[in-house]
Amino acid sequence: MFLNRSVLQPHLNARIRSSKPSPNYVGLVKFLIQPFLESPESLSVDCEFSHTLKRAWIRIAFDDRDKGKVFGRGGRNIQSIRTVIATAAELAGQKVYLDMYGSNTLGREENSSEDHQQRRSPEPRMADRSVNIPKPVVKPRTR
């Protein structure tokens, strides 16, 4: 302890390196996205770093049926998640990119096209031309 307060005292954290450690992006993404998923074990997170460019790419995949919950109304949920991740990266002096991919479960690809066909609305019917529908009569304006 120094009794003289006019002399600058060394800071307790003076020995910490000046380079900022990289955040745990995988843990952060899992923490933010898993509450939205019905089956949290379907979440797959992959993170790739470029130390020279100070950038990180995060790739996530989850079940297609949870996509609406993760995105939220108007994309609010996913935008909030991206904001939190970008803030963590900014504090570490990095930039981060979040990419999302489709389902990561095996065997789902074969059923996806059939499910998509079943979910689609039927083709609109063309009007029957054999029925004579009278056209409205346009009368000229008079003053």
mmCIF file of all heavy atoms in Angstrom, residues 86-112:
data_model
loop_
_atom_site.group_PDB
_atom_site.id
_atom_site.type_symbol
_atom_site.label_atom_id
_atom_site.label_comp_id
_atom_site.label_asym_id
_atom_site.label_seq_id
_atom_site.Cartn_x
_atom_site.Cartn_y
_atom_site.Cartn_z
ATOM 1 N N ALA A 86 -22.976 -9.478 -32.709
ATOM 2 C CA ALA A 86 -22.140 -8.416 -33.271
ATOM 3 C C ALA A 86 -21.555 -7.533 -32.173
ATOM 4 O O ALA A 86 -20.412 -7.068 -32.278
ATOM 5 C CB ALA A 86 -22.953 -7.571 -34.246
ATOM 6 N N THR A 87 -22.323 -7.307 -31.109
ATOM 7 C CA THR A 87 -21.817 -6.505 -29.994
ATOM 8 C C THR A 87 -20.675 -7.219 -29.285
ATOM 9 O O THR A 87 -19.667 -6.599 -28.940
ATOM 10 C CB THR A 87 -22.955 -6.202 -29.008
ATOM 11 O OG1 THR A 87 -24.011 -5.544 -29.711
ATOM 12 C CG2 THR A 87 -22.482 -5.320 -27.876
ATOM 13 N N ALA A 88 -20.827 -8.530 -29.082
ATOM 14 C CA ALA A 88 -19.750 -9.301 -28.456
ATOM 15 C C ALA A 88 -18.498 -9.275 -29.325
ATOM 16 O O ALA A 88 -17.378 -9.154 -28.819
ATOM 17 C CB ALA A 88 -20.199 -10.737 -28.212
ATOM 18 N N ALA A 89 -18.679 -9.357 -30.630
ATOM 19 C CA ALA A 89 -17.531 -9.331 -31.540
ATOM 20 C C ALA A 89 -16.875 -7.961 -31.556
ATOM 21 O O ALA A 89 -15.654 -7.849 -31.603
ATOM 22 C CB ALA A 89 -17.979 -9.706 -32.951
ATOM 23 N N GLU A 90 -17.688 -6.914 -31.502
ATOM 24 C CA GLU A 90 -17.141 -5.558 -31.516
ATOM 25 C C GLU A 90 -16.298 -5.287 -30.273
ATOM 26 O O GLU A 90 -15.253 -4.645 -30.346
ATOM 27 C CB GLU A 90 -18.276 -4.547 -31.606
ATOM 28 C CG GLU A 90 -17.814 -3.126 -31.800
ATOM 29 C CD GLU A 90 -18.979 -2.170 -31.967
ATOM 30 O OE1 GLU A 90 -20.040 -2.595 -32.441
ATOM 31 O OE2 GLU A 90 -18.809 -0.997 -31.602
ATOM 32 N N LEU A 91 -16.736 -5.810 -29.133
ATOM 33 C CA LEU A 91 -15.959 -5.640 -27.901
ATOM 34 C C LEU A 91 -14.607 -6.343 -27.993
ATOM 35 O O LEU A 91 -13.649 -5.935 -27.351
ATOM 36 C CB LEU A 91 -16.746 -6.164 -26.702
ATOM 37 C CG LEU A 91 -17.959 -5.321 -26.302
ATOM 38 C CD1 LEU A 91 -18.751 -6.025 -25.205
ATOM 39 C CD2 LEU A 91 -17.524 -3.938 -25.845
ATOM 40 N N ALA A 92 -14.558 -7.418 -28.797
ATOM 41 C CA ALA A 92 -13.302 -8.144 -28.978
ATOM 42 C C ALA A 92 -12.504 -7.603 -30.159
ATOM 43 O O ALA A 92 -11.439 -8.138 -30.481
ATOM 44 C CB ALA A 92 -13.589 -9.628 -29.190
ATOM 45 N N GLY A 93 -13.020 -6.566 -30.829
ATOM 46 C CA GLY A 93 -12.303 -5.997 -31.972
ATOM 47 C C GLY A 93 -12.427 -6.839 -33.216
ATOM 48 O O GLY A 93 -11.538 -6.840 -34.059
ATOM 49 N N GLN A 94 -13.539 -7.565 -33.362
ATOM 50 C CA GLN A 94 -13.752 -8.444 -34.508
ATOM 51 C C GLN A 94 -15.061 -8.101 -35.200
ATOM 52 O O GLN A 94 -15.859 -7.319 -34.703
ATOM 53 C CB GLN A 94 -13.802 -9.907 -34.061
ATOM 54 C CG GLN A 94 -12.560 -10.401 -33.403
ATOM 55 C CD GLN A 94 -12.726 -11.814 -32.882
ATOM 56 O OE1 GLN A 94 -13.835 -12.325 -32.762
ATOM 57 N NE2 GLN A 94 -11.615 -12.446 -32.548
ATOM 58 N N LYS A 95 -15.258 -8.727 -36.347
ATOM 59 C CA LYS A 95 -16.546 -8.691 -37.042
ATOM 60 C C LYS A 95 -17.032 -10.119 -37.144
ATOM 61 O O LYS A 95 -16.232 -11.050 -37.218
ATOM 62 C CB LYS A 95 -16.409 -8.088 -38.437
ATOM 63 C CG LYS A 95 -16.133 -6.615 -38.415
ATOM 64 C CD LYS A 95 -16.313 -6.033 -39.774
ATOM 65 C CE LYS A 95 -16.083 -4.538 -39.675
ATOM 66 N NZ LYS A 95 -16.853 -3.813 -40.626
ATOM 67 N N VAL A 96 -18.348 -10.287 -37.156
ATOM 68 C CA VAL A 96 -18.909 -11.632 -37.183
ATOM 69 C C VAL A 96 -20.019 -11.690 -38.225
ATOM 70 O O VAL A 96 -20.735 -10.708 -38.451
ATOM 71 C CB VAL A 96 -19.420 -12.041 -35.774
ATOM 72 C CG1 VAL A 96 -20.610 -11.222 -35.364
ATOM 73 C CG2 VAL A 96 -19.737 -13.507 -35.699
ATOM 74 N N TYR A 97 -20.130 -12.835 -38.881
ATOM 75 C CA TYR A 97 -21.170 -13.083 -39.869
ATOM 76 C C TYR A 97 -21.922 -14.334 -39.462
ATOM 77 O O TYR A 97 -21.314 -15.349 -39.140
ATOM 78 C CB TYR A 97 -20.565 -13.265 -41.261
ATOM 79 C CG TYR A 97 -19.789 -12.052 -41.703
ATOM 80 C CD1 TYR A 97 -18.413 -12.004 -41.553
ATOM 81 C CD2 TYR A 97 -20.439 -10.957 -42.244
ATOM 82 C CE1 TYR A 97 -17.698 -10.891 -41.938
ATOM 83 C CE2 TYR A 97 -19.730 -9.832 -42.625
ATOM 84 C CZ TYR A 97 -18.358 -9.805 -42.473
ATOM 85 O OH TYR A 97 -17.654 -8.698 -42.849
ATOM 86 N N LEU A 98 -23.239 -14.275 -39.472
ATOM 87 C CA LEU A 98 -24.082 -15.396 -39.071
ATOM 88 C C LEU A 98 -24.822 -15.909 -40.297
ATOM 89 O O LEU A 98 -25.569 -15.169 -40.935
ATOM 90 C CB LEU A 98 -25.078 -14.960 -37.998
ATOM 91 C CG LEU A 98 -26.027 -16.020 -37.470
ATOM 92 C CD1 LEU A 98 -25.260 -17.095 -36.711
ATOM 93 C CD2 LEU A 98 -27.068 -15.399 -36.568
ATOM 94 N N ASP A 99 -24.598 -17.168 -40.646
ATOM 95 C CA ASP A 99 -25.279 -17.816 -41.767
ATOM 96 C C ASP A 99 -26.162 -18.925 -41.232
ATOM 97 O O ASP A 99 -25.779 -19.642 -40.307
ATOM 98 C CB ASP A 99 -24.274 -18.436 -42.737
ATOM 99 C CG ASP A 99 -23.439 -17.397 -43.451
ATOM 100 O OD1 ASP A 99 -23.947 -16.279 -43.657
ATOM 101 O OD2 ASP A 99 -22.290 -17.715 -43.803
ATOM 102 N N MET A 100 -27.337 -19.082 -41.837
ATOM 103 C CA MET A 100 -28.247 -20.143 -41.435
ATOM 104 C C MET A 100 -28.454 -21.108 -42.585
ATOM 105 O O MET A 100 -28.563 -20.685 -43.744
ATOM 106 C CB MET A 100 -29.589 -19.565 -41.003
ATOM 107 C CG MET A 100 -29.541 -19.081 -39.593
ATOM 108 S SD MET A 100 -31.026 -18.283 -39.146
ATOM 109 C CE MET A 100 -30.690 -16.676 -39.786
ATOM 110 N N TYR A 101 -28.526 -22.372 -42.243
ATOM 111 C CA TYR A 101 -28.739 -23.412 -43.227
ATOM 112 C C TYR A 101 -29.994 -24.178 -42.866
ATOM 113 O O TYR A 101 -30.535 -24.032 -41.776
ATOM 114 C CB TYR A 101 -27.528 -24.356 -43.291
ATOM 115 C CG TYR A 101 -26.312 -23.668 -43.826
ATOM 116 C CD1 TYR A 101 -25.358 -23.138 -42.973
ATOM 117 C CD2 TYR A 101 -26.138 -23.517 -45.188
ATOM 118 C CE1 TYR A 101 -24.248 -22.484 -43.476
ATOM 119 C CE2 TYR A 101 -25.029 -22.857 -45.690
ATOM 120 C CZ TYR A 101 -24.094 -22.347 -44.835
ATOM 121 O OH TYR A 101 -23.013 -21.698 -45.322
ATOM 122 N N GLY A 102 -30.445 -25.013 -43.796
ATOM 123 C CA GLY A 102 -31.661 -25.794 -43.597
ATOM 124 C C GLY A 102 -31.491 -26.871 -42.561
ATOM 125 O O GLY A 102 -30.584 -26.840 -41.729
ATOM 126 N N SER A 103 -32.359 -27.838 -42.625
ATOM 127 C CA SER A 103 -32.386 -28.917 -41.651
ATOM 128 C C SER A 103 -31.068 -29.660 -41.634
ATOM 129 O O SER A 103 -30.447 -29.871 -42.664
ATOM 130 C CB SER A 103 -33.517 -29.882 -42.005
ATOM 131 O OG SER A 103 -33.476 -31.001 -41.180
ATOM 132 N N ASN A 104 -30.655 -30.080 -40.433
ATOM 133 C CA ASN A 104 -29.410 -30.837 -40.332
ATOM 134 C C ASN A 104 -29.667 -32.301 -40.007
ATOM 135 O O ASN A 104 -28.755 -33.039 -39.744
ATOM 136 C CB ASN A 104 -28.492 -30.231 -39.273
ATOM 137 C CG ASN A 104 -29.089 -30.304 -37.891
ATOM 138 O OD1 ASN A 104 -30.260 -30.610 -37.724
ATOM 139 N ND2 ASN A 104 -28.284 -30.012 -36.896
ATOM 140 N N THR A 105 -30.934 -32.731 -40.036
ATOM 141 C CA THR A 105 -31.250 -34.119 -39.736
ATOM 142 C C THR A 105 -31.180 -34.933 -41.012
ATOM 143 O O THR A 105 -31.597 -34.486 -42.073
ATOM 144 C CB THR A 105 -32.650 -34.253 -39.116
ATOM 145 O OG1 THR A 105 -33.601 -33.660 -40.003
ATOM 146 C CG2 THR A 105 -32.704 -33.561 -37.775
ATOM 147 N N LEU A 106 -30.658 -36.143 -40.927
ATOM 148 C CA LEU A 106 -30.538 -37.001 -42.095
ATOM 149 C C LEU A 106 -31.895 -37.593 -42.443
ATOM 150 O O LEU A 106 -32.710 -37.888 -41.577
ATOM 151 C CB LEU A 106 -29.539 -38.128 -41.824
ATOM 152 C CG LEU A 106 -28.112 -37.661 -41.550
ATOM 153 C CD1 LEU A 106 -27.252 -38.862 -41.173
ATOM 154 C CD2 LEU A 106 -27.541 -36.949 -42.754
ATOM 155 N N GLY A 107 -32.126 -37.779 -43.721
ATOM 156 C CA GLY A 107 -33.383 -38.361 -44.163
ATOM 157 C C GLY A 107 -34.487 -37.335 -44.325
ATOM 158 O O GLY A 107 -35.528 -37.633 -44.855
ATOM 159 N N ARG A 108 -34.294 -36.158 -43.891
ATOM 160 C CA ARG A 108 -35.320 -35.121 -43.996
ATOM 161 C C ARG A 108 -35.391 -34.574 -45.424
ATOM 162 O O ARG A 108 -36.424 -34.095 -45.842
ATOM 163 C CB ARG A 108 -34.993 -34.001 -43.006
ATOM 164 C CG ARG A 108 -35.958 -32.877 -42.993
ATOM 165 C CD ARG A 108 -37.086 -33.160 -42.055
ATOM 166 N NE ARG A 108 -37.902 -31.960 -41.969
ATOM 167 C CZ ARG A 108 -39.212 -31.980 -41.927
ATOM 168 N NH1 ARG A 108 -39.848 -33.104 -41.918
ATOM 169 N NH2 ARG A 108 -39.896 -30.872 -41.855
ATOM 170 N N GLU A 109 -34.295 -34.643 -46.167
ATOM 171 C CA GLU A 109 -34.266 -34.075 -47.504
ATOM 172 C C GLU A 109 -35.258 -34.762 -48.434
ATOM 173 O O GLU A 109 -35.870 -34.127 -49.272
ATOM 174 C CB GLU A 109 -32.858 -34.174 -48.109
ATOM 175 C CG GLU A 109 -31.842 -33.282 -47.434
ATOM 176 C CD GLU A 109 -31.290 -33.874 -46.145
ATOM 177 O OE1 GLU A 109 -31.384 -35.097 -45.962
ATOM 178 O OE2 GLU A 109 -30.774 -33.118 -45.324
ATOM 179 N N GLU A 110 -35.414 -36.085 -48.288
ATOM 180 C CA GLU A 110 -36.331 -36.791 -49.172
ATOM 181 C C GLU A 110 -37.772 -36.372 -48.914
ATOM 182 O O GLU A 110 -38.565 -36.241 -49.820
ATOM 183 C CB GLU A 110 -36.222 -38.307 -48.973
ATOM 184 C CG GLU A 110 -34.861 -38.864 -49.321
ATOM 185 C CD GLU A 110 -34.139 -39.378 -48.099
ATOM 186 O OE1 GLU A 110 -34.793 -39.666 -47.094
ATOM 187 O OE2 GLU A 110 -32.918 -39.490 -48.153
ATOM 188 N N ASN A 111 -38.118 -36.149 -47.660
ATOM 189 C CA ASN A 111 -39.480 -35.794 -47.321
ATOM 190 C C ASN A 111 -39.775 -34.328 -47.555
ATOM 191 O O ASN A 111 -40.934 -33.957 -47.683
ATOM 192 C CB ASN A 111 -39.755 -36.126 -45.848
ATOM 193 C CG ASN A 111 -39.658 -37.614 -45.572
ATOM 194 O OD1 ASN A 111 -39.849 -38.423 -46.467
ATOM 195 N ND2 ASN A 111 -39.346 -37.962 -44.344
ATOM 196 N N SER A 112 -38.752 -33.497 -47.616
ATOM 197 C CA SER A 112 -38.991 -32.063 -47.698
ATOM 198 C C SER A 112 -39.706 -31.677 -48.989
ATOM 199 O O SER A 112 -40.583 -30.837 -48.970
ATOM 200 C CB SER A 112 -37.688 -31.292 -47.556
ATOM 201 O OG SER A 112 -36.840 -31.599 -48.625
#
